[in-house]
Amino acid sequence: MLAGTSLTEDDLDNPHTEISLFQQVRAIDNLLTLYGPGFVFLKPDIWNTSIHGAVAIAAISAPTIGDGVAVLPRYGPARTPYQRGVIKPSGTCMLLDWEVTVPLTEAQWLPMMEVNFLAIRSMIRAALGVEALELEFAFAAPAPSYADRVREVLGGKVQYGASVNRVKFPRSWWPMRSVAADPVLYKRAIDELELAVQRRQENSVPLQGRVERLLQTMPDGRPSAEMVAASLGLSRRTMVRRLQKAGTGFRELLDAELRRRAVELKKTKLRRDDIASRLGYDDPASFNRAWRRWFGPAKKKQP
C-alpha cells in the first residue's frame, strides 16, 4: 500500500506525520491495484470515527446533532485542505455538500468520498445512540459495480449520478441533544482544532519548503499551480505571492524537482521518450528545451 509514497509504517504510527495529497492518492492507486474498485467497502468498519481524530471527537461530543455536523466543514479542511464542505437548509432537510477541490480522477476521489460518508454515518450513529436510518447519501459519480454493497453498508438511501456529493439529514435532528454530549471533551477537541487551523495559517515551515516537499511526493507527471495551492489550502494567487516574497516561484520549484527526477531517470537508461512521459511532457519540443536547460546541448559524436 505504501509503495511509491516515501512513507513508512513508523510514519503512520506518528501522529505528527503530515501526509500529502499526492501520497494519499498514490496509496489509493496502490489499493485499487491490490483490491480493485470498492476496496473501501471490503472492511467498512475500519473507516470509523477514530481515523478522523479531533474532528470526530468534536462532532460526537458536541451539544447537539447540528453543532456536531457543523464541525465537519468548519474543521475538516484543517486535516484535508483539498476537501471542502458546505451546509445549507432545504425544506425539512439539512444538506451537507462535499467536494474534492483538486482535479483527481473519479477512481481516486470516489474512495475519499466513500470514506467521508462512512465516517459521517458512524459519527451520527454515535451521537444519536441508534442507527441513522434516515440519512441519505448522493455520489457525483455513476453507479459502480459494487453499488449494492454500498447500499447494504450505508443503507438503502444511496443515489448515484448526482450533481454533487451530498449527505441529507432530517432537519428535526438539528436541535437534538447528542447522547455523547460532553462539554469538557468538546471544548478540548475544538481548542485542538482551532490550534490546527492557526498552525496551518501560520505554518512555521516556510511555504517554499512545503511546496518542495509536496512536489517531491507527486506521482509521475506535472501538477498545476492550482492543484498544488489547493492541496496546501491556499488560493493560487496567495501561493504565488508568498513564493515571490520568498524570492522564488512555482515554476522554478517545479523545474528543479523535474530536473532532479530526470537525473535519476537518466541513470536507469530509459529512453528519452519514456522519461518525457514520466515527467509529464506531451510536447517533444518543450521536453527538448527542458532537457537542454538541465543538461546542456547534446554532444556531437566524433566522426
Side-chain angles (χ1 to χ4, degrees), residues 6-233:
S6 76
L7 293 168
T8 66
E9 291 189 28
D10 288 340
D11 291 328
L12 301 186
D13 289 335
N14 182 353
H16 300 295
T17 299
E18 182 177 338
I19 298 176
S20 77
L21 166 66
F22 296 137
Q23 288 169 320
Q24 185 173 350
V25 169
R26 179 61 66 88
I28 289 173
D29 288 340
N30 291 342
L31 286 167
L32 287 168
T33 299
L34 290 168
Y35 302 109
F39 68 83
V40 170
F41 291 92
L42 294 178
K43 292 186 179 293
D45 290 341
I46 69 174
W47 313 104
N48 57 30
T49 55
S50 64
I51 68 171
H52 292 277
V55 171
I57 293 172
I60 295 170
S61 63
T64 67
I65 303 298
D67 292 328
V69 176
V71 166
L72 305 180
R74 172 69 181 91
Y75 295 108
R79 291 173 60 86
T80 52
Y82 44 87
Q83 296 191 35
R84 180 171 58 211
V86 177
I87 296 175
K88 53 188 177 184
S90 177
T92 60
C93 299
M94 295 295 291
L95 310 177
L96 173 59
D97 292 350
W98 207 268
E99 66 173 336
V100 175
T101 59
V102 294
L104 302 179
T105 67
E106 183 181 293
Q108 292 168 337
W109 67 254
L110 185 55
M112 294 181 181
M113 207 56 56
E114 292 168 344
V115 168
N116 289 341
F117 285 1
L118 282 170
I120 290 171
R121 173 180 170 272
S122 180
M123 293 176 201
I124 295 299
R125 182 172 54 186
L128 287 173
V130 295
E131 284 292 341
L133 299 178
E134 294 87 349
L135 282 178
E136 298 182 31
F137 301 92
F139 291 97
S145 59
Y146 55 90
D148 289 344
R149 174 60 175 162
V150 178
R151 293 188 172 97
E152 177 187 344
V153 174
L154 287 178
K157 299 176 181 178
V158 176
Q159 174 192 356
Y160 284 96
S163 59
V164 64
N165 300 296
R166 171 175 289 169
V167 184
K168 184 184 293 186
F169 308 80
R171 199 165 186 170
S172 59
W173 285 3
W174 236 237
M176 289 176 59
R177 179 174 174 80
S178 169
V179 299
D182 185 324
V184 175
L185 192 59
Y186 177 67
K187 183 179 185 306
R188 288 178 179 173
I190 291 297
D191 287 346
E192 180 179 331
L193 292 169
E194 285 289 348
L195 185 59
V197 171
Q198 182 179 346
R199 284 173 179 164
R200 183 164 289 280
Q201 292 173 344
E202 304 172 356
N203 199 304
S204 58
V205 179
L207 181 61
Q208 178 176 340
R210 293 166 62 199
V211 172
E212 288 173 335
R213 179 183 177 279
L214 188 60
L215 292 175
Q216 288 165 8
T217 65
M218 70 180 179
D220 292 343
R222 293 188 298 166
S224 66
E226 288 81 5
M227 184 176 185
V228 170
S231 67
L232 294 171

Side-chain angles (χ1 to χ4, degrees), residues 207 235-246 248:
L207 181 61
S235 69
R236 180 185 183 279
R237 180 176 297 180
T238 297
M239 182 185 74
V240 169
R241 184 179 68 250
R242 289 173 59 181
L243 287 175
Q244 287 177 339
K245 190 175 180 181
T248 188

